[in-house]
PDB file of all heavy atoms in Angstrom:
ATOM      1  N   SER A 705     155.308  68.112 136.603  1.00  0.00           N
ATOM      2  CA  SER A 705     155.553  69.176 137.307  1.00  0.00           C
ATOM      3  C   SER A 705     155.210  68.973 138.797  1.00  0.00           C
ATOM      4  O   SER A 705     155.898  69.509 139.817  1.00  0.00           O
ATOM      5  CB  SER A 705     154.775  70.500 136.860  1.00  0.00           C
ATOM      6  OG  SER A 705     153.418  70.195 136.935  1.00  0.00           O
ATOM      7  N   GLU A 706     154.160  68.190 139.136  1.00  0.00           N
ATOM      8  CA  GLU A 706     153.723  67.825 140.439  1.00  0.00           C
ATOM      9  C   GLU A 706     154.794  66.894 141.143  1.00  0.00           C
ATOM     10  O   GLU A 706     155.004  66.972 142.282  1.00  0.00           O
ATOM     11  CB  GLU A 706     152.364  67.281 140.373  1.00  0.00           C
ATOM     12  CG  GLU A 706     151.258  68.348 140.101  1.00  0.00           C
ATOM     13  CD  GLU A 706     149.948  67.567 139.860  1.00  0.00           C
ATOM     14  OE1 GLU A 706     149.891  66.368 139.919  1.00  0.00           O
ATOM     15  OE2 GLU A 706     148.913  68.391 139.754  1.00  0.00           O
ATOM     16  N   MET A 707     155.303  65.881 140.367  1.00  0.00           N
ATOM     17  CA  MET A 707     156.172  64.924 140.968  1.00  0.00           C
ATOM     18  C   MET A 707     157.576  65.561 141.201  1.00  0.00           C
ATOM     19  O   MET A 707     158.141  65.268 142.222  1.00  0.00           O
ATOM     20  CB  MET A 707     156.346  63.711 139.898  1.00  0.00           C
ATOM     21  CG  MET A 707     155.122  62.941 139.721  1.00  0.00           C
ATOM     22  SD  MET A 707     155.486  61.549 138.765  1.00  0.00           S
ATOM     23  CE  MET A 707     153.873  60.787 138.680  1.00  0.00           C
ATOM     24  N   GLY A 708     158.009  66.485 140.272  1.00  0.00           N
ATOM     25  CA  GLY A 708     159.237  67.197 140.625  1.00  0.00           C
ATOM     26  C   GLY A 708     160.391  66.357 140.144  1.00  0.00           C
ATOM     27  O   GLY A 708     160.570  65.232 140.353  1.00  0.00           O
ATOM     28  N   THR A 709     161.452  67.081 139.636  1.00  0.00           N
ATOM     29  CA  THR A 709     162.700  66.501 139.246  1.00  0.00           C
ATOM     30  C   THR A 709     163.929  67.040 140.240  1.00  0.00           C
ATOM     31  O   THR A 709     164.976  66.584 140.062  1.00  0.00           O
ATOM     32  CB  THR A 709     163.131  66.757 137.855  1.00  0.00           C
ATOM     33  OG1 THR A 709     163.125  68.211 137.638  1.00  0.00           O
ATOM     34  CG2 THR A 709     162.024  66.100 136.949  1.00  0.00           C
ATOM     35  N   ASP A 710     163.542  67.881 141.134  1.00  0.00           N
ATOM     36  CA  ASP A 710     164.511  68.468 141.976  1.00  0.00           C
ATOM     37  C   ASP A 710     165.006  67.463 143.052  1.00  0.00           C
ATOM     38  O   ASP A 710     164.097  66.879 143.805  1.00  0.00           O
ATOM     39  CB  ASP A 710     163.871  69.657 142.717  1.00  0.00           C
ATOM     40  CG  ASP A 710     164.907  70.406 143.603  1.00  0.00           C
ATOM     41  OD1 ASP A 710     166.081  69.843 143.732  1.00  0.00           O
ATOM     42  OD2 ASP A 710     164.558  71.471 144.090  1.00  0.00           O
ATOM     43  N   PRO A 711     166.186  66.993 143.213  1.00  0.00           N
ATOM     44  CA  PRO A 711     166.548  66.103 144.224  1.00  0.00           C
ATOM     45  C   PRO A 711     166.295  66.441 145.644  1.00  0.00           C
ATOM     46  O   PRO A 711     166.322  65.636 146.505  1.00  0.00           O
ATOM     47  CB  PRO A 711     168.122  65.973 144.025  1.00  0.00           C
ATOM     48  CG  PRO A 711     168.311  66.406 142.510  1.00  0.00           C
ATOM     49  CD  PRO A 711     167.305  67.411 142.327  1.00  0.00           C
ATOM     50  N   GLU A 712     166.128  67.727 145.822  1.00  0.00           N
ATOM     51  CA  GLU A 712     165.746  68.183 147.147  1.00  0.00           C
ATOM     52  C   GLU A 712     164.290  67.971 147.384  1.00  0.00           C
ATOM     53  O   GLU A 712     163.814  68.126 148.610  1.00  0.00           O
ATOM     54  CB  GLU A 712     165.968  69.710 147.320  1.00  0.00           C
ATOM     55  CG  GLU A 712     167.478  70.013 147.164  1.00  0.00           C
ATOM     56  CD  GLU A 712     168.444  69.356 148.172  1.00  0.00           C
ATOM     57  OE1 GLU A 712     167.848  69.285 149.402  1.00  0.00           O
ATOM     58  OE2 GLU A 712     169.472  68.832 147.893  1.00  0.00           O
ATOM     59  N   ASN A 713     163.499  67.672 146.353  1.00  0.00           N
ATOM     60  CA  ASN A 713     161.989  67.459 146.605  1.00  0.00           C
ATOM     61  C   ASN A 713     161.623  66.057 145.955  1.00  0.00           C
ATOM     62  O   ASN A 713     161.123  66.042 144.808  1.00  0.00           O
ATOM     63  CB  ASN A 713     161.214  68.567 145.894  1.00  0.00           C
ATOM     64  CG  ASN A 713     161.446  69.891 146.624  1.00  0.00           C
ATOM     65  OD1 ASN A 713     161.007  70.116 147.707  1.00  0.00           O
ATOM     66  ND2 ASN A 713     162.309  70.784 145.991  1.00  0.00           N
ATOM     67  N   PRO A 714     161.981  64.927 146.489  1.00  0.00           N
ATOM     68  CA  PRO A 714     161.783  63.671 145.952  1.00  0.00           C
ATOM     69  C   PRO A 714     160.310  63.323 145.786  1.00  0.00           C
ATOM     70  O   PRO A 714     159.438  63.852 146.437  1.00  0.00           O
ATOM     71  CB  PRO A 714     162.436  62.655 147.019  1.00  0.00           C
ATOM     72  CG  PRO A 714     162.334  63.409 148.146  1.00  0.00           C
ATOM     73  CD  PRO A 714     162.545  64.855 147.942  1.00  0.00           C
ATOM     74  N   PRO A 715     160.075  62.343 144.767  1.00  0.00           N
ATOM     75  CA  PRO A 715     158.632  62.065 144.352  1.00  0.00           C
ATOM     76  C   PRO A 715     158.039  61.204 145.390  1.00  0.00           C
ATOM     77  O   PRO A 715     156.685  61.089 145.334  1.00  0.00           O
ATOM     78  CB  PRO A 715     158.834  61.388 143.063  1.00  0.00           C
ATOM     79  CG  PRO A 715     160.163  60.838 143.189  1.00  0.00           C
ATOM     80  CD  PRO A 715     161.016  61.789 143.901  1.00  0.00           C
ATOM     81  N   LEU A 716     158.698  60.606 146.345  1.00  0.00           N
ATOM     82  CA  LEU A 716     158.081  59.830 147.425  1.00  0.00           C
ATOM     83  C   LEU A 716     157.566  60.809 148.466  1.00  0.00           C
ATOM     84  O   LEU A 716     158.306  61.336 149.276  1.00  0.00           O
ATOM     85  CB  LEU A 716     158.988  58.882 148.030  1.00  0.00           C
ATOM     86  CG  LEU A 716     159.582  57.788 147.016  1.00  0.00           C
ATOM     87  CD1 LEU A 716     160.543  56.828 147.816  1.00  0.00           C
ATOM     88  CD2 LEU A 716     158.347  56.901 146.514  1.00  0.00           C
TER      89      LEU A 716
END
Side-chain angles (χ1 to χ4, degrees):
S705 59
E706 293 173 345
M707 291 183 182
T709 58
D710 183 354
E712 298 300 320
N713 297 283
L716 298 179

